[in-house]
Amino acid sequence: MALYNLGTLGSTPIVQNDFHLDPSDLTDVFQFKITSGKNINLSLTDISAGDNADIRLFRDSNNNGVLDNFDRKVGLVSNQGSNHDEAINFKTSSGTFFAEVSPVSLASSGDLSYDLALSATEPSGTAVSASFSNLLPKEFVLGNLSADVTRTGNVNNQNTTDVYNFSLGSFEGVNLKLDGLSTDADMRLIRDINNNRIVDAGEEIARSTNGGITSELISNINQAGNYFLQVTEFSGATNYNLTLDHFTTTFA
């Protein structure tokens, strides 16, 4: 097991690219601290073709600086299957944590590669502008839209954010609606211009942050390209309905 101490995690993402697992080293553990209540965001991406890896998050519950069996009694896991992106978004108090990456299956080469990004952003329910994750895993891949799409989901303190990835072709557009809420949730739309899977300055296209259980709307998106849509908890657990209303246009 390889252990990497990342120090104190803050809002600026820490990126660990091109890490490898193989039969002689099957687990990477990344240790970090947060100094106040935050949303911990973990994004495991670019898992090598034919491989499958999961990510787990544990708290150093006995404060001994070691990921031991006592810590493993309670944790969170993302296990999407195949080499799909994995993500954990967790609202929690200060402490020391361990993010563990391990394979479920290895291709015949026995060498699994991956990228990992970590950040700790302001918790939901505080400043609206700071509540969104700044990481962009492809949790739910919708592909190129050619018709209306509807999805249901749930956001809560153990899953503060869901991220949808879709694209529009020329002469296509979409209206986005988030409703069916029992508590406040928000959404925002991003174009990852440099493809680094992080929300950089200038990449947010639009957001909707109405109060309470009022529906959220982002309308008339009609530029061809690849998009990420985040659905984020603001004031507690809620189910939601997400509608992507596809339309055709007479301009690209």
Side-chain angles (χ1 to χ4, degrees), residues 23 89 91 106 149 152 186 189 202-203:
N89 302 99
K91 182 178 180 180
L106 294 172
V149 174
T152 60
D186 300 320
L189 187 66
E203 292 186 334

Coordinates of all heavy atoms in Angstrom, one line a residue, residues 23 89 91 106 149 152 186 189 202-203:
P23 N -0.4 -5.6 -9.6 CA -0.4 -6.7 -8.6 C 0.5 -6.6 -7.4 O 0.3 -7.1 -6.4 CB -0.2 -8.0 -9.4 CG -0.6 -7.6 -10.8 CD -0.3 -6.2 -11.0
N89 N -18.8 13.1 -2.9 CA -19.1 14.5 -2.5 C -19.7 14.4 -1.1 O -20.9 14.0 -1.0 CB -19.9 15.2 -3.5 CG -19.3 15.2 -4.9 OD1 -19.7 14.4 -5.7 ND2 -18.4 16.1 -5.1
K91 N -20.5 16.1 2.8 CA -20.5 17.3 3.7 C -20.1 16.8 5.1 O -20.8 15.9 5.7 CB -21.9 17.9 3.7 CG -22.0 19.1 4.6 CD -23.4 19.7 4.5 CE -23.6 20.9 5.4 NZ -24.9 21.5 5.3
L106 N -8.4 -6.0 -12.9 CA -7.3 -5.5 -13.8 C -7.3 -6.1 -15.1 O -7.7 -7.3 -15.2 CB -5.9 -5.8 -13.1 CG -5.6 -5.1 -11.8 CD1 -4.4 -5.6 -11.2 CD2 -5.5 -3.6 -12.0
V149 N -34.7 14.2 -22.5 CA -34.1 13.2 -21.5 C -34.7 13.6 -20.1 O -34.7 14.8 -19.7 CB -32.6 13.2 -21.5 CG1 -32.1 12.3 -20.4 CG2 -32.0 12.8 -22.8
T152 N -34.0 11.0 -12.6 CA -34.4 11.2 -11.2 C -33.1 11.0 -10.4 O -32.2 10.2 -10.8 CB -35.5 10.3 -10.7 OG1 -35.1 9.0 -10.9 CG2 -36.8 10.6 -11.5
D186 N -29.9 23.3 -6.1 CA -29.5 24.2 -7.2 C -28.8 23.4 -8.4 O -28.5 22.3 -8.2 CB -28.6 25.3 -6.7 CG -29.2 26.1 -5.5 OD1 -30.4 26.4 -5.6 OD2 -28.4 26.4 -4.6
L189 N -24.4 25.0 -15.1 CA -24.0 24.4 -16.3 C -22.6 24.9 -16.6 O -22.3 26.1 -16.5 CB -24.9 24.8 -17.4 CG -24.7 24.1 -18.8 CD1 -25.0 22.6 -18.7 CD2 -25.6 24.8 -19.9
G202 N -14.4 31.4 -15.9 CA -14.9 31.6 -17.2 C -15.6 30.4 -17.8 O -16.1 30.4 -18.9
E203 N -15.6 29.2 -17.1 CA -16.2 28.0 -17.7 C -17.6 27.8 -17.3 O -18.3 26.9 -17.9 CB -15.3 26.8 -17.3 CG -13.9 26.8 -18.0 CD -13.2 25.5 -17.7 OE1 -13.4 24.8 -16.7 OE2 -12.3 25.2 -18.6

